[in-house]
Coordinates of all heavy atoms in Angstrom, one line a residue:
M318 N 18.7 -62.4 3.9 CA 18.1 -63.2 2.9 C 17.8 -62.2 1.7 O 17.2 -61.2 2.0 CB 16.9 -63.9 3.3 CG 16.2 -64.6 2.2 SD 14.5 -65.2 2.7 CE 15.0 -66.8 3.3
K319 N 18.1 -62.6 0.5 CA 17.8 -61.8 -0.6 C 16.8 -62.5 -1.5 O 16.9 -63.7 -1.7 CB 19.1 -61.6 -1.4 CG 18.9 -60.7 -2.7 CD 20.2 -60.6 -3.5 CE 19.9 -59.9 -4.7 NZ 20.1 -60.7 -5.9
A320 N 15.8 -61.7 -2.0 CA 14.8 -62.3 -2.8 C 14.6 -61.4 -4.0 O 14.4 -60.2 -3.8 CB 13.5 -62.5 -2.1
D321 N 14.6 -61.9 -5.2 CA 14.3 -61.2 -6.4 C 12.8 -61.3 -6.7 O 12.1 -62.3 -6.4 CB 15.0 -61.7 -7.6 CG 16.5 -61.6 -7.5 OD1 17.0 -60.6 -6.8 OD2 17.3 -62.4 -8.0
L322 N 12.2 -60.2 -7.2 CA 10.8 -60.2 -7.6 C 10.7 -60.1 -9.1 O 11.3 -59.2 -9.7 CB 10.2 -59.0 -6.9 CG 8.7 -58.8 -7.2 CD1 7.8 -59.9 -6.6 CD2 8.2 -57.4 -6.7
I323 N 10.0 -61.0 -9.7 CA 9.7 -61.0 -11.1 C 8.2 -60.6 -11.3 O 7.3 -61.2 -10.7 CB 9.9 -62.4 -11.7 CG1 11.3 -63.0 -11.4 CG2 9.7 -62.3 -13.2 CD1 12.4 -62.2 -11.9
K324 N 8.0 -59.5 -12.0 CA 6.6 -59.0 -12.2 C 6.5 -58.5 -13.6 O 7.5 -58.1 -14.2 CB 6.3 -58.0 -11.1 CG 7.0 -56.7 -11.2 CD 6.5 -55.8 -10.1 CE 7.2 -54.4 -10.4 NZ 6.6 -53.4 -9.5
H325 N 5.2 -58.4 -14.0 CA 4.9 -57.8 -15.3 C 3.9 -56.6 -14.9 O 3.5 -56.5 -13.8 CB 4.2 -58.8 -16.2 CG 5.2 -59.8 -16.7 ND1 4.8 -60.6 -17.8 CD2 6.4 -60.2 -16.4 CE1 5.8 -61.4 -18.1 NE2 6.8 -61.2 -17.2
S326 N 3.5 -55.9 -16.0 CA 2.6 -54.8 -15.8 C 1.2 -55.4 -15.4 O 0.9 -56.5 -15.7 CB 2.5 -53.9 -17.0 OG 2.1 -54.7 -18.1
K327 N 0.3 -54.6 -14.8 CA -1.0 -54.9 -14.5 C -1.8 -55.5 -15.7 O -1.7 -54.9 -16.8 CB -1.7 -53.7 -13.9 CG -3.1 -54.1 -13.3 CD -3.7 -52.9 -12.7 CE -5.1 -53.2 -12.2 NZ -5.7 -52.1 -11.4
G328 N -2.5 -56.6 -15.5 CA -3.3 -57.1 -16.6 C -2.5 -58.1 -17.4 O -3.0 -58.7 -18.4
S329 N -1.2 -58.3 -17.1 CA -0.4 -59.3 -17.9 C -0.9 -60.7 -17.7 O -1.5 -61.0 -16.7 CB 1.1 -59.2 -17.5 OG 1.6 -57.9 -17.8
D330 N -0.5 -61.6 -18.6 CA -0.9 -63.0 -18.4 C -0.1 -63.6 -17.3 O 1.2 -63.6 -17.3 CB -0.5 -63.7 -19.7 CG -0.8 -65.2 -19.7 OD1 -1.4 -65.7 -18.7 OD2 -0.5 -65.9 -20.7
P331 N -0.8 -64.2 -16.2 CA -0.1 -64.7 -15.1 C 0.9 -65.9 -15.5 O 1.9 -66.1 -14.9 CB -1.2 -65.3 -14.2 CG -2.4 -64.5 -14.6 CD -2.2 -64.2 -16.1
S332 N 0.5 -66.6 -16.5 CA 1.4 -67.7 -17.0 C 2.7 -67.2 -17.5 O 3.7 -67.8 -17.4 CB 0.7 -68.5 -18.1 OG -0.5 -69.1 -17.6
A333 N 2.7 -66.0 -18.2 CA 3.9 -65.4 -18.7 C 4.8 -65.0 -17.5 O 6.1 -65.1 -17.6 CB 3.6 -64.2 -19.5
V334 N 4.2 -64.5 -16.4 CA 5.0 -64.2 -15.2 C 5.7 -65.5 -14.6 O 6.8 -65.5 -14.3 CB 4.2 -63.5 -14.2 CG1 5.0 -63.1 -13.0 CG2 3.5 -62.2 -14.8
A335 N 4.9 -66.5 -14.6 CA 5.4 -67.8 -14.1 C 6.6 -68.3 -14.9 O 7.6 -68.7 -14.5 CB 4.3 -68.8 -14.0
F336 N 6.4 -68.2 -16.3 CA 7.4 -68.6 -17.2 C 8.7 -67.8 -17.0 O 9.8 -68.4 -16.9 CB 6.9 -68.4 -18.6 CG 7.8 -68.7 -19.7 CD1 7.9 -70.0 -20.3 CD2 8.7 -67.7 -20.2 CE1 8.8 -70.2 -21.3 CE2 9.6 -68.0 -21.2 CZ 9.7 -69.2 -21.8
D337 N 8.6 -66.5 -16.9 CA 9.7 -65.7 -16.7 C 10.4 -65.9 -15.3 O 11.6 -65.9 -15.2 CB 9.4 -64.2 -16.8 CG 9.1 -63.8 -18.2 OD1 9.4 -64.5 -19.2 OD2 8.5 -62.7 -18.4
S338 N 9.6 -66.2 -14.3 CA 10.1 -66.5 -13.0 C 11.0 -67.8 -13.0 O 12.0 -67.8 -12.4 CB 9.0 -66.7 -12.0 OG 8.3 -65.5 -11.9
V339 N 10.5 -68.8 -13.7 CA 11.2 -70.1 -13.8 C 12.5 -69.9 -14.5 O 13.6 -70.3 -14.1 CB 10.4 -71.2 -14.4 CG1 11.2 -72.4 -14.7 CG2 9.2 -71.6 -13.5
H340 N 12.4 -69.2 -15.6 CA 13.6 -68.9 -16.4 C 14.7 -68.0 -15.7 O 15.9 -68.3 -15.8 CB 13.3 -68.3 -17.8 CG 12.9 -69.4 -18.8 ND1 13.8 -70.0 -19.6 CD2 11.7 -70.0 -19.0 CE1 13.1 -70.9 -20.3 NE2 11.9 -70.9 -20.0
A341 N 14.2 -67.1 -15.0 CA 15.1 -66.2 -14.2 C 15.8 -67.0 -13.1 O 17.0 -66.9 -12.8 CB 14.3 -65.0 -13.6
A342 N 15.0 -67.9 -12.4 CA 15.6 -68.8 -11.4 C 16.6 -69.7 -12.0 O 17.7 -69.9 -11.4 CB 14.5 -69.6 -10.7
K343 N 16.4 -70.3 -13.1 CA 17.4 -71.2 -13.8 C 18.6 -70.4 -14.1 O 19.7 -70.9 -13.9 CB 16.7 -71.9 -15.0 CG 15.7 -72.9 -14.6 CD 14.9 -73.4 -15.7 CE 15.6 -74.2 -16.8 NZ 14.6 -74.7 -17.8
A344 N 18.4 -69.2 -14.7 CA 19.6 -68.4 -15.1 C 20.4 -67.9 -13.9 O 21.6 -67.7 -14.1 CB 19.1 -67.2 -15.9
R345 N 19.8 -67.7 -12.8 CA 20.5 -67.2 -11.6 C 20.9 -68.3 -10.6 O 21.3 -68.0 -9.6 CB 19.6 -66.2 -10.9 CG 19.3 -65.0 -11.8 CD 18.2 -64.1 -11.2 NE 17.8 -63.1 -12.1 CZ 16.8 -62.3 -12.0 NH1 16.0 -62.4 -10.9 NH2 16.5 -61.4 -12.9
N346 N 20.7 -69.5 -11.0 CA 21.0 -70.7 -10.2 C 20.3 -70.6 -8.9 O 20.8 -71.0 -7.8 CB 22.5 -70.8 -9.9 CG 23.1 -71.9 -10.8 OD1 22.5 -72.7 -11.4 ND2 24.5 -71.8 -10.8
V347 N 19.0 -70.2 -8.9 CA 18.2 -70.2 -7.7 C 17.4 -71.5 -7.6 O 16.9 -72.0 -8.6 CB 17.2 -69.0 -7.8 CG1 16.2 -69.0 -6.7 CG2 17.9 -67.7 -7.9
D348 N 17.3 -72.0 -6.4 CA 16.6 -73.3 -6.3 C 15.3 -73.2 -5.6 O 14.7 -74.2 -5.2 CB 17.5 -74.3 -5.6 CG 18.2 -73.8 -4.3 OD1 18.5 -72.6 -4.3 OD2 18.5 -74.5 -3.4
L349 N 14.8 -72.0 -5.4 CA 13.4 -71.9 -4.8 C 12.7 -70.7 -5.5 O 13.2 -69.6 -5.6 CB 13.6 -71.6 -3.3 CG 12.3 -71.6 -2.5 CD1 11.6 -72.9 -2.5 CD2 12.7 -71.2 -1.0
V350 N 11.5 -71.0 -6.0 CA 10.7 -70.0 -6.6 C 9.3 -70.1 -6.0 O 8.7 -71.1 -5.9 CB 10.5 -70.3 -8.1 CG1 9.6 -69.3 -8.8 CG2 11.9 -70.3 -8.8
F351 N 8.8 -68.9 -5.6 CA 7.4 -68.8 -5.1 C 6.6 -68.1 -6.2 O 7.0 -67.0 -6.6 CB 7.4 -68.0 -3.8 CG 7.8 -68.7 -2.6 CD1 9.2 -68.6 -2.2 CD2 7.0 -69.6 -1.9 CE1 9.6 -69.3 -1.1 CE2 7.4 -70.3 -0.8 CZ 8.8 -70.1 -0.4
I352 N 5.5 -68.6 -6.5 CA 4.6 -68.0 -7.5 C 3.3 -67.8 -6.8 O 2.6 -68.7 -6.4 CB 4.4 -68.8 -8.8 CG1 5.8 -68.9 -9.4 CG2 3.4 -68.2 -9.7 CD1 5.8 -69.9 -10.6
D353 N 2.9 -66.5 -6.5 CA 1.7 -66.2 -5.8 C 0.6 -65.9 -6.8 O 0.7 -65.0 -7.6 CB 2.0 -64.9 -5.0 CG 0.9 -64.5 -4.1 OD1 -0.2 -65.1 -4.1 OD2 1.0 -63.5 -3.3
T354 N -0.5 -66.7 -6.6 CA -1.6 -66.5 -7.5 C -2.8 -66.1 -6.6 O -3.9 -66.6 -6.8 CB -2.0 -67.8 -8.2 OG1 -2.3 -68.8 -7.2 CG2 -0.8 -68.3 -9.1
A355 N -2.6 -65.1 -5.8 CA -3.6 -64.6 -4.8 C -4.9 -64.2 -5.5 O -4.9 -63.7 -6.6 CB -3.0 -63.5 -4.0
G356 N -5.9 -64.3 -4.8 CA -7.2 -63.9 -5.2 C -8.0 -64.8 -6.1 O -9.0 -64.4 -6.7
R357 N -7.6 -66.1 -6.2 CA -8.3 -67.1 -7.0 C -9.6 -67.5 -6.2 O -9.5 -67.8 -5.1 CB -7.4 -68.3 -7.3 CG -6.1 -67.9 -7.9 CD -6.4 -67.5 -9.3 NE -5.2 -66.8 -9.8 CZ -5.0 -66.4 -11.0 NH1 -5.9 -66.7 -11.9 NH2 -3.9 -65.8 -11.4
L358 N -10.6 -67.6 -6.9 CA -11.9 -68.1 -6.4 C -12.1 -69.5 -7.1 O -12.2 -69.5 -8.3 CB -13.0 -67.2 -6.6 CG -13.0 -65.9 -5.8 CD1 -14.2 -65.0 -6.2 CD2 -13.0 -66.2 -4.3
H359 N -12.4 -70.5 -6.3 CA -12.6 -71.8 -6.9 C -13.9 -71.9 -7.7 O -14.1 -72.8 -8.5 CB -12.6 -72.9 -5.8 CG -13.7 -72.7 -4.8 ND1 -13.7 -71.6 -3.9 CD2 -14.9 -73.3 -4.6 CE1 -14.8 -71.7 -3.1 NE2 -15.5 -72.7 -3.5
T360 N -14.8 -70.9 -7.5 CA -16.0 -70.9 -8.3 C -15.9 -70.2 -9.6 O -16.8 -70.3 -10.4 CB -17.1 -70.2 -7.5 OG1 -16.6 -68.8 -7.1 CG2 -17.4 -70.9 -6.2
K361 N -14.7 -69.6 -9.9 CA -14.5 -68.9 -11.2 C -13.7 -69.9 -12.1 O -12.5 -70.1 -12.0 CB -13.7 -67.6 -11.0 CG -14.4 -66.6 -10.1 CD -15.6 -66.0 -10.7 CE -16.2 -65.0 -9.8 NZ -17.4 -64.4 -10.3
V362 N -14.4 -70.4 -13.1 CA -13.9 -71.4 -13.9 C -12.7 -70.9 -14.7 O -11.6 -71.6 -14.8 CB -14.9 -72.0 -14.9 CG1 -14.3 -72.9 -16.0 CG2 -16.1 -72.7 -14.2
N363 N -12.7 -69.7 -15.2 CA -11.6 -69.1 -16.0 C -10.4 -69.0 -15.1 O -9.2 -69.2 -15.6 CB -12.0 -67.8 -16.6 CG -12.4 -66.7 -15.6 OD1 -13.0 -67.0 -14.6 ND2 -12.1 -65.5 -15.9
L364 N -10.5 -68.6 -13.8 CA -9.4 -68.5 -12.9 C -8.8 -69.9 -12.6 O -7.5 -70.0 -12.5 CB -9.7 -67.7 -11.7 CG -10.2 -66.3 -11.9 CD1 -10.5 -65.7 -10.5 CD2 -9.1 -65.5 -12.5
M365 N -9.6 -70.9 -12.4 CA -9.1 -72.2 -12.2 C -8.4 -72.8 -13.4 O -7.4 -73.4 -13.3 CB -10.2 -73.1 -11.7 CG -10.8 -72.7 -10.4 SD -9.6 -72.6 -9.1 CE -9.1 -74.2 -8.8
E366 N -8.9 -72.5 -14.6 CA -8.2 -72.9 -15.8 C -6.8 -72.2 -16.0 O -5.9 -72.8 -16.4 CB -9.1 -72.6 -17.0 CG -10.3 -73.5 -17.2 CD -10.0 -74.9 -17.2 OE1 -9.0 -75.3 -18.0 OE2 -10.6 -75.8 -16.6
E367 N -6.8 -70.9 -15.5 CA -5.5 -70.2 -15.5 C -4.5 -70.9 -14.6 O -3.3 -71.0 -14.9 CB -5.8 -68.8 -15.1 CG -4.8 -67.8 -15.6 CD -5.3 -66.4 -15.4 OE1 -5.4 -66.0 -14.2 OE2 -5.6 -65.7 -16.3
L368 N -5.0 -71.3 -13.4 CA -4.1 -72.1 -12.5 C -3.5 -73.3 -13.2 O -2.3 -73.6 -13.0 CB -4.8 -72.4 -11.2 CG -4.9 -71.4 -10.1 CD1 -5.7 -72.0 -9.0 CD2 -3.6 -70.9 -9.7
K369 N -4.4 -74.1 -13.8 CA -3.9 -75.3 -14.5 C -2.9 -74.9 -15.6 O -1.9 -75.6 -15.7 CB -5.1 -76.0 -15.2 CG -6.1 -76.6 -14.3 CD -7.1 -77.4 -15.1 CE -8.4 -77.5 -14.4 NZ -9.4 -78.1 -15.2
K370 N -3.1 -73.8 -16.3 CA -2.1 -73.4 -17.3 C -0.8 -73.0 -16.7 O 0.3 -73.4 -17.2 CB -2.7 -72.2 -18.1 CG -1.8 -71.7 -19.2 CD -2.4 -70.5 -19.9 CE -1.5 -69.9 -20.9 NZ -2.1 -68.6 -21.4
I371 N -0.8 -72.3 -15.6 CA 0.4 -72.0 -14.9 C 1.2 -73.2 -14.5 O 2.4 -73.3 -14.7 CB 0.1 -71.1 -13.6 CG1 -0.4 -69.7 -14.1 CG2 1.3 -71.0 -12.7 CD1 -1.0 -68.9 -13.0
K372 N 0.5 -74.2 -13.9 CA 1.1 -75.4 -13.5 C 1.7 -76.2 -14.7 O 2.8 -76.7 -14.7 CB 0.1 -76.4 -12.8 CG 0.7 -77.6 -12.3 CD -0.2 -78.6 -11.7 CE 0.5 -79.8 -11.3 NZ -0.4 -80.9 -11.0
R373 N 1.0 -76.2 -15.9 CA 1.5 -76.9 -17.1 C 2.8 -76.2 -17.5 O 3.8 -76.9 -17.9 CB 0.5 -76.8 -18.2 CG -0.6 -77.9 -18.1 CD -1.4 -78.0 -19.4 NE -1.8 -76.7 -20.0 CZ -3.0 -76.1 -19.7 NH1 -3.8 -76.6 -18.8 NH2 -3.3 -75.0 -20.2
I374 N 2.8 -74.9 -17.5 CA 4.0 -74.1 -18.0 C 5.2 -74.4 -17.1 O 6.3 -74.6 -17.6 CB 3.6 -72.6 -18.2 CG1 2.8 -72.5 -19.4 CG2 4.9 -71.8 -18.3 CD1 2.2 -71.1 -19.6
I375 N 4.9 -74.3 -15.8 CA 6.0 -74.6 -14.9 C 6.6 -76.0 -15.1 O 7.8 -76.2 -15.2 CB 5.6 -74.4 -13.4 CG1 5.2 -72.9 -13.2 CG2 6.6 -74.9 -12.4 CD1 4.5 -72.7 -11.9
A376 N 5.7 -77.0 -15.2 CA 6.2 -78.3 -15.4 C 6.9 -78.5 -16.7 O 7.9 -79.3 -16.8 CB 5.0 -79.3 -15.4
R377 N 6.5 -77.8 -17.8 CA 7.1 -77.9 -19.1 C 8.5 -77.3 -19.0 O 9.5 -77.8 -19.6 CB 6.3 -77.2 -20.1 CG 6.9 -77.3 -21.5 CD 6.1 -76.4 -22.5 NE 6.4 -75.0 -22.2 CZ 5.6 -74.0 -22.5 NH1 4.4 -74.3 -23.0 NH2 5.9 -72.8 -22.2
E378 N 8.7 -76.2 -18.3 CA 9.9 -75.5 -18.3 C 10.9 -76.0 -17.3 O 12.1 -75.8 -17.4 CB 9.7 -74.0 -18.0 CG 8.9 -73.3 -19.1 CD 9.5 -73.4 -20.5 OE1 10.7 -73.2 -20.6 OE2 8.7 -73.8 -21.4
Y379 N 10.4 -76.7 -16.3 CA 11.3 -77.3 -15.2 C 10.7 -78.6 -14.9 O 9.8 -78.8 -14.0 CB 11.3 -76.4 -14.0 CG 12.5 -76.7 -13.1 CD1 13.7 -76.0 -13.1 CD2 12.3 -77.7 -12.2 CE1 14.7 -76.3 -12.3 CE2 13.4 -78.1 -11.3 CZ 14.6 -77.4 -11.4 OH 15.6 -77.7 -10.5
P380 N 11.2 -79.7 -15.6 CA 10.6 -81.0 -15.4 C 10.6 -81.4 -13.9 O 11.6 -81.2 -13.2 CB 11.6 -81.9 -16.2 CG 12.1 -81.0 -17.3 CD 12.2 -79.7 -16.6
G381 N 9.5 -82.0 -13.5 CA 9.3 -82.4 -12.1 C 8.7 -81.3 -11.2 O 8.3 -81.6 -10.1
A382 N 8.6 -80.1 -11.7 CA 8.0 -79.0 -11.0 C 6.6 -78.9 -11.3 O 6.1 -79.4 -12.3 CB 8.7 -77.7 -11.3
P383 N 5.8 -78.4 -10.5 CA 6.1 -77.8 -9.2 C 6.3 -78.9 -8.2 O 5.6 -79.9 -8.2 CB 4.9 -76.9 -8.8 CG 3.7 -77.5 -9.6 CD 4.3 -78.1 -10.8
H384 N 7.2 -78.7 -7.3 CA 7.5 -79.7 -6.3 C 6.6 -79.6 -5.1 O 6.4 -80.6 -4.4 CB 9.0 -79.5 -5.8 CG 9.9 -79.6 -6.9 ND1 10.1 -80.7 -7.7 CD2 10.8 -78.7 -7.4 CE1 11.0 -80.5 -8.6 NE2 11.4 -79.3 -8.5
E385 N 6.0 -78.5 -4.9 CA 5.0 -78.3 -3.8 C 4.1 -77.2 -4.2 O 4.4 -76.2 -4.8 CB 5.8 -77.9 -2.5 CG 5.0 -78.0 -1.3 CD 5.8 -77.9 0.0 OE1 7.1 -77.8 -0.1 OE2 5.2 -77.9 1.0
I386 N 2.8 -77.4 -3.8 CA 1.8 -76.4 -4.0 C 1.2 -76.1 -2.6 O 0.7 -77.0 -2.0 CB 0.7 -76.8 -5.0 CG1 1.3 -77.1 -6.4 CG2 -0.4 -75.8 -5.1 CD1 0.3 -77.7 -7.4
L387 N 1.2 -74.8 -2.3 CA 0.6 -74.4 -1.0 C -0.6 -73.6 -1.2 O -0.7 -72.8 -2.0 CB 1.6 -73.5 -0.2 CG 3.0 -74.1 0.0 CD1 4.0 -73.1 0.6 CD2 3.0 -75.3 0.9
L388 N -1.6 -73.9 -0.4 CA -2.9 -73.2 -0.4 C -3.0 -72.5 0.9 O -3.0 -73.1 2.0 CB -4.1 -74.2 -0.6 CG -5.5 -73.6 -0.5 CD1 -5.7 -72.6 -1.6 CD2 -6.5 -74.7 -0.6
V389 N -3.2 -71.2 0.9 CA -3.3 -70.4 2.1 C -4.7 -69.8 2.1 O -5.1 -69.2 1.1 CB -2.3 -69.2 2.1 CG1 -2.5 -68.3 3.3 CG2 -0.9 -69.8 2.0
L390 N -5.4 -70.1 3.1 CA -6.8 -69.7 3.3 C -7.0 -68.7 4.4 O -6.3 -68.8 5.4 CB -7.8 -70.9 3.5 CG -7.8 -71.9 2.4 CD1 -8.7 -73.1 2.9 CD2 -8.4 -71.3 1.1
D391 N -7.9 -67.8 4.3 CA -8.3 -66.9 5.4 C -9.7 -67.5 5.8 O -10.7 -67.2 5.2 CB -8.4 -65.5 4.9 CG -8.8 -64.6 6.0 OD1 -9.2 -65.0 7.1 OD2 -8.8 -63.3 5.8
A392 N -9.7 -68.2 6.9 CA -10.9 -68.9 7.3 C -12.0 -67.9 7.8 O -13.2 -68.2 7.9 CB -10.6 -69.9 8.4
T393 N -11.6 -66.7 8.1 CA -12.5 -65.7 8.6 C -13.4 -65.1 7.5 O -14.5 -64.5 7.7 CB -11.8 -64.5 9.4 OG1 -11.0 -63.9 8.5 CG2 -11.1 -65.1 10.5
T394 N -12.9 -65.2 6.2 CA -13.7 -64.6 5.1 C -14.2 -65.6 4.2 O -15.1 -65.3 3.4 CB -12.8 -63.6 4.4 OG1 -11.6 -64.2 3.9 CG2 -12.4 -62.4 5.3
A395 N -13.7 -66.8 4.2 CA -14.1 -67.8 3.2 C -15.4 -68.4 3.6 O -15.7 -68.7 4.7 CB -13.0 -68.9 3.1
R396 N -16.2 -68.7 2.6 CA -17.4 -69.4 2.8 C -17.1 -70.9 2.6 O -16.4 -71.3 1.7 CB -18.5 -69.1 1.7 CG -19.0 -67.7 1.9 CD -20.1 -67.5 0.9 NE -20.3 -66.0 0.7 CZ -20.7 -65.5 -0.4 NH1 -21.0 -66.2 -1.4 NH2 -20.8 -64.2 -0.5
M397 N -17.6 -71.7 3.6 CA -17.3 -73.1 3.6 C -15.8 -73.4 3.4 O -15.4 -74.1 2.4 CB -18.1 -73.8 2.5 CG -19.6 -73.7 2.8 SD -20.6 -74.9 1.8 CE -21.0 -73.9 0.4
P398 N -15.0 -72.9 4.3 CA -13.5 -73.1 4.1 C -13.1 -74.6 4.1 O -12.1 -74.9 3.5 CB -12.9 -72.4 5.3 CG -14.0 -72.3 6.3 CD -15.3 -72.2 5.5
S399 N -13.9 -75.5 4.7 CA -13.5 -76.9 4.7 C -13.6 -77.5 3.3 O -12.9 -78.5 3.0 CB -14.3 -77.7 5.7 OG -15.7 -77.6 5.4
R400 N -14.4 -77.0 2.5 CA -14.6 -77.5 1.1 C -13.6 -76.9 0.1 O -13.3 -77.5 -0.9 CB -16.0 -77.3 0.6 CG -17.0 -78.1 1.3 CD -18.4 -77.9 0.6 NE -19.4 -78.6 1.3 CZ -20.7 -78.5 1.0 NH1 -21.0 -77.7 0.0 NH2 -21.6 -79.1 1.7
R401 N -13.1 -75.8 0.4 CA -12.3 -75.0 -0.5 C -11.0 -75.7 -0.9 O -10.7 -75.7 -2.1 CB -12.0 -73.7 0.1 CG -11.9 -72.6 -1.0 CD -11.9 -71.3 -0.3 NE -12.0 -70.3 -1.4 CZ -11.8 -69.0 -1.2 NH1 -11.5 -68.6 0.0 NH2 -11.9 -68.2 -2.2
P402 N -10.3 -76.4 0.0 CA -9.0 -77.0 -0.4 C -9.3 -78.1 -1.5 O -8.5 -78.1 -2.5 CB -8.5 -77.7 0.8 CG -9.1 -76.8 1.9 CD -10.4 -76.4 1.4
N403 N -10.3 -78.8 -1.5 CA -10.6 -79.8 -2.5 C -10.9 -79.2 -3.8 O -10.5 -79.7 -4.9 CB -11.8 -80.7 -2.1 CG -11.5 -81.7 -1.0 OD1 -10.3 -82.0 -0.8 ND2 -12.5 -82.1 -0.3
S404 N -11.5 -78.0 -3.8 CA -11.8 -77.3 -5.0 C -10.5 -76.8 -5.8 O -10.5 -76.7 -7.0 CB -12.7 -76.0 -4.7 OG -13.8 -76.4 -4.1
F405 N -9.5 -76.6 -5.0 CA -8.2 -76.2 -5.6 C -7.3 -77.4 -5.9 O -6.7 -77.4 -7.0 CB -7.4 -75.3 -4.7 CG -7.9 -73.9 -4.7 CD1 -8.8 -73.4 -3.8 CD2 -7.4 -73.0 -5.7 CE1 -9.3 -72.1 -3.9 CE2 -7.9 -71.7 -5.8 CZ -8.8 -71.2 -4.9
T406 N -7.3 -78.4 -5.1 CA -6.4 -79.5 -5.3 C -6.8 -80.5 -6.4 O -6.0 -81.0 -7.1 CB -6.1 -80.3 -4.0 OG1 -7.4 -80.8 -3.5 CG2 -5.4 -79.5 -3.0
K407 N -8.1 -80.7 -6.6 CA -8.6 -81.6 -7.7 C -8.1 -81.1 -9.0 O -7.5 -81.9 -9.8 CB -10.1 -81.8 -7.6 CG -10.5 -82.7 -6.5 CD -12.0 -82.9 -6.5 CE -12.5 -83.7 -5.4 NZ -13.9 -83.8 -5.3
P408 N -8.3 -79.9 -9.4 CA -7.9 -79.5 -10.8 C -6.4 -79.4 -10.9 O -5.9 -79.6 -12.0 CB -8.4 -78.0 -10.9 CG -9.4 -77.9 -9.8 CD -9.1 -78.8 -8.8
L409 N -5.6 -79.3 -9.8 CA -4.2 -79.2 -9.9 C -3.5 -80.6 -9.7 O -2.2 -80.6 -9.8 CB -3.6 -78.2 -8.9 CG -4.1 -76.8 -9.2 CD1 -3.6 -75.9 -8.0 CD2 -3.7 -76.3 -10.5
A410 N -4.2 -81.6 -9.5 CA -3.6 -82.9 -9.3 C -3.0 -83.5 -10.6 O -3.2 -83.1 -11.6 CB -4.7 -83.9 -8.8

């Protein structure tokens, strides 16, 4: 299996990386794109707003996308892990 990695320099706008990833996938006829937004805390309003922006950009550049959003949690380190999924899914609905 071959996977290309699209990245920008440290401190770059995550939405710009998502934009470039979608465009690279379209140009290369790739039908699967993973965008990792690791390290988001649901209590940080600016980071949640950034997630919404990423979703809007992906949807604008590829109508119908994102087709799936996955939330990966580490239950050993998260506080109140049962509440956390709702904190992420509500803003991205």
Side-chain angles (χ1 to χ4, degrees):
M318 174 191 271
K319 181 181 174 248
D321 294 329
L322 178 68
I323 308 298
K324 66 178 187 171
H325 288 195
S326 60
K327 186 176 179 176
S329 296
D330 180 5
S332 298
V334 181
F336 177 89
D337 287 348
S338 298
V339 170
H340 278 268
K343 287 165 70 173
R345 298 171 187 170
N346 258 348
V347 172
D348 45 329
L349 188 60
V350 177
F351 286 94
I352 298 174
D353 183 356
T354 61
R357 305 290 162 169
L358 292 175
H359 63 288
T360 56
K361 301 289 185 184
V362 174
N363 59 327
L364 295 179
M365 294 307 291
E366 289 301 316
E367 205 168 66
L368 275 179
K369 291 184 206 175
K370 181 180 175 187
I371 291 169
K372 183 182 178 196
R373 280 193 313 270
I374 287 173
I375 293 168
R377 183 187 72 209
E378 298 305 314
Y379 196 96
H384 303 300
E385 192 168 357
I386 297 174
L387 304 174
L388 174 63
V389 179
L390 297 174
D391 181 353
T393 61
T394 59
R396 292 186 201 149
M397 296 194 267
S399 62
R400 289 188 187 174
R401 212 165 189 196
N403 289 338
S404 301
F405 279 96
T406 55
K407 282 182 184 176
L409 297 176

